[in-house]
Amino acid sequence: MDKTVDILNALANEKGLKFEDVVEAFKVALQKTTQKMLGDVNIQIDFDAENKKLHIYQIAEVVADDDQRALENEENFIYLDEAHDINPNLKVGDKVEFELDFEKLGRVGASTLQRELDFQILRLLEQGIYNKYKDRLGELITGIVVRVDKENNTYIEIGEIKGVLPQRNRIKGEKFKVGDTLKAVIKYVNMDKNRGITIEISRTTPKFLEELLKLAVPEVKDELIKIHSIARIPGVRAKIAVSSLKPQIDPIGTIIGAKGVRINSISKELHGENIDVIEYNDAPEMFIARALSPAIVDSVKIEENEDGENIAKVYLNPDQKAKAIGKSGINITLANMLTKYKIELLEKGEKEEPKKDADDFNKLFSF
């Protein structure tokens, strides 16, 4: 088997795999091939790393001379008197190793081994790809659209594999065709025996907006500006809470850019999604007030209800209530999502709970 080691080494280099992994794959392939050719035999495969040699041993158990198992299964059992010809010290129950010459299995054995090895190498390559992309969850990727199916699922090439953008992960109103360049984030990676590797990408998650910010704003990528939270209604509107780690950097102005060039480029990528940038504050009352912008808030009171939920009771002038709610309830919904508080709007001087809030709208846009 000396030449086999050289072949496995060349195979490892060609496929970009570790030599040790290829050797293990060969062992599995050899085990399966031997069982197909010789039946359910006990095989041990040893690799001499120092001398780079492979040895295949067939293992047989020593049994008494009247034991029928040796007659019925001579591959796995050997009579005691025959075992003594090999080693007179052997006794019943001991194991005997015979070096197996695989070449005796002929062309059929060789072709079977080749098929098994190809399969094991394919599994190794798939596992490597799976591990690679599993570690890239949430990462921004760019690819070329290669197919759009009848359900409008969009497939793109990502390196050595294809990713799929399901219609549910696509911003409403977007349309892609073959040849388009598409940006998205990796949302889900899975591998099974039937479908192989599945990589699902998305353009609707808050993570996608975060990654676009890192791409467009160096200060965000360099962590000079921190993103605390993001709320999105994809393709409609988003709110971002940010703060600066350097006093001389204005986080809002830096993200918006000169004449809005940075934020506009991101909005264009998001199919015209409007993006509000607000400055984060550690005080929840101040943070909630800012999150309801453009409404001007009079005061905020934080309470906890019977279920342990954090409730923010926001008092404001009657003429600000419509602004706080926003068109179709979008503004208050995003503020809820951004701050993680359940916001209740009350007019100044009002004591009772409001009759309506954004709960139903929140459920509609929960991601």
Side-chain angles (χ1 to χ4, degrees):
M1 300 291 288
D2 294 358
K3 292 182 180 178
T4 303
V5 175
D6 294 332
I7 293 172
L8 295 181
N9 193 41
L11 183 60
N13 290 331
E14 177 190 344
K15 301 294 184 181
L17 297 168
K18 292 181 180 178
F19 175 68
E20 295 78 8
D21 292 340
V22 174
V23 170
E24 289 303 315
F26 178 75
K27 288 182 180 181
V28 174
L30 194 57
Q31 181 82 41
K32 291 181 178 294
T33 300
T34 307
Q35 289 177 343
K36 285 181 180 179
M37 300 300 295
L38 301 178
D40 189 20
V41 297
N42 294 319
I43 298 294
Q44 178 179 317
I45 304 166
D46 292 337
F47 173 58
D48 183 349
E50 185 176 348
N51 297 310
K52 290 190 175 182
K53 290 186 177 181
L54 275 169
H55 298 279
I56 310 171
Y57 298 100
Q58 185 174 340
I59 312 298
E61 180 182 343
V62 178
V63 296
D65 293 336
D66 59 352
D67 196 317
Q68 284 293 110
R69 289 180 296 173
L71 188 62
E72 296 169 355
N73 189 351
E74 60 182 17
E75 298 291 348
N76 291 326
F77 299 97
I78 183 173
Y79 286 124
L80 181 62
D81 62 344
E82 294 177 350
H84 281 166
D85 292 338
I86 300 170
N87 184 346
N89 295 322
L90 291 172
K91 56 185 182 295
V92 173
D94 287 346
K95 305 290 184 183
V96 180
E97 294 181 354
F98 303 95
E99 187 149 12
L100 181 66
D101 185 1
F102 191 79
E103 292 181 1
K104 291 182 179 179
L105 298 180
R107 291 183 179 179
V108 175
S111 61
T112 302
L113 177 59
Q114 183 64 58
R115 287 195 301 272
E116 288 290 344
L117 181 57
D118 288 344
F119 176 76
Q120 294 302 324
I121 292 298
L122 180 61
R123 293 293 301 274
L124 263 182
L125 291 170
E126 285 183 339
Q127 188 64 48
I129 293 171
Y130 171 73
N131 291 338
K132 173 183 175 180
Y133 286 97
K134 182 183 67 174
D135 294 337
R136 293 179 63 185
L137 285 174
E139 186 176 314
L140 183 70
I141 54 94
T142 301
I144 304 297
V145 175
V146 293
R147 183 166 73 92
V148 180
D149 66 19
K150 291 185 293 185
E151 286 76 35
N152 283 320
N153 298 313
T154 304
Y155 296 83
I156 71 167
E157 285 188 348
I158 313 171
E160 63 276 79
I161 199 167
K162 289 184 176 66
V164 59
L165 177 72
Q167 187 173 13
R168 66 179 181 275
N169 293 349
R170 196 182 64 189
I171 297 171
K172 187 177 180 180
E174 285 186 322
K175 292 183 179 180
F176 299 103
K177 62 182 185 299
V178 174
D180 286 348
T181 300
L182 185 152
K183 288 186 177 70
V185 290
I186 298 174
K187 182 179 180 181
Y188 175 75
V189 181
N190 186 48
M191 182 172 71
D192 62 43
K193 293 181 180 178
N194 297 323
R195 298 179 62 191
I197 300 173
T198 302
I199 296 181
E200 183 178 313
I201 59 178
S202 175
R203 289 173 55 83
T204 58
T205 66
K207 185 64 178 174
F208 181 48
L209 175 50
E210 180 182 337
E211 292 301 304
L212 290 176
L213 282 164
K214 291 178 182 177
L215 190 66
V217 185
E219 291 84 356
V220 174
K221 182 180 179 181
D222 296 339
E223 298 181 350
L224 299 175
I225 292 176
K226 181 178 179 180
I227 297 174
H228 292 268
S229 59
I230 296 176
R232 288 184 69 195
I233 298 173
V236 179
R237 192 172 169 189
K239 285 182 182 284
I240 310 164
V242 297
S243 65
S244 174
L245 302 181
K246 296 272 187 177
Q248 63 271 30
I249 296 177
D250 168 22
I252 296 176
T254 302
I255 288 176
I256 292 174
K259 297 182 180 180
V261 65
R262 287 177 171 176
I263 207 71
N264 288 339
S265 68
I266 296 171
S267 177
K268 184 179 179 181
E269 178 64 42
L270 298 177
H271 203 62
E273 189 171 312
N274 291 316
I275 304 168
D276 298 338
V277 187
I278 68 167
E279 190 165 2
Y280 175 78
N281 195 291
D282 288 329
E285 295 86 355
M286 182 64 74
F287 183 32
I288 292 164
R290 290 176 177 176
L292 286 167
S293 174
I296 300 172
V297 171
D298 187 72
S299 64
V300 179
K301 184 179 179 182
I302 305 296
E303 295 181 358
E304 189 175 294
N305 65 11
E306 294 176 354
D307 299 325
E309 289 181 299
N310 288 320
I311 306 296
K313 293 188 175 182
V314 177
Y315 296 87
L316 68 178
N317 289 325
D319 63 343
Q320 296 298 312
K321 199 167 183 179
K323 292 181 182 179
I325 294 171
K327 185 180 179 181
S328 302
I330 287 175
N331 196 60
I332 192 171
T333 297
L334 289 172
N336 279 324
M337 295 163 63
L338 191 73
T339 64
K340 308 297 189 295
Y341 279 86
K342 182 178 179 181
I343 299 173
E344 295 181 356
L345 301 179
L346 297 98
E347 295 180 10
K348 286 178 65 177
E350 187 178 350
K351 294 182 179 180
E352 60 182 10
E353 297 294 327
K355 293 180 181 179
K356 295 181 181 180
D357 56 33
D359 280 354
D360 293 337
F361 200 72
N362 270 328
K363 292 175 184 176
L364 185 63
F365 287 102
S366 58
F367 298 99

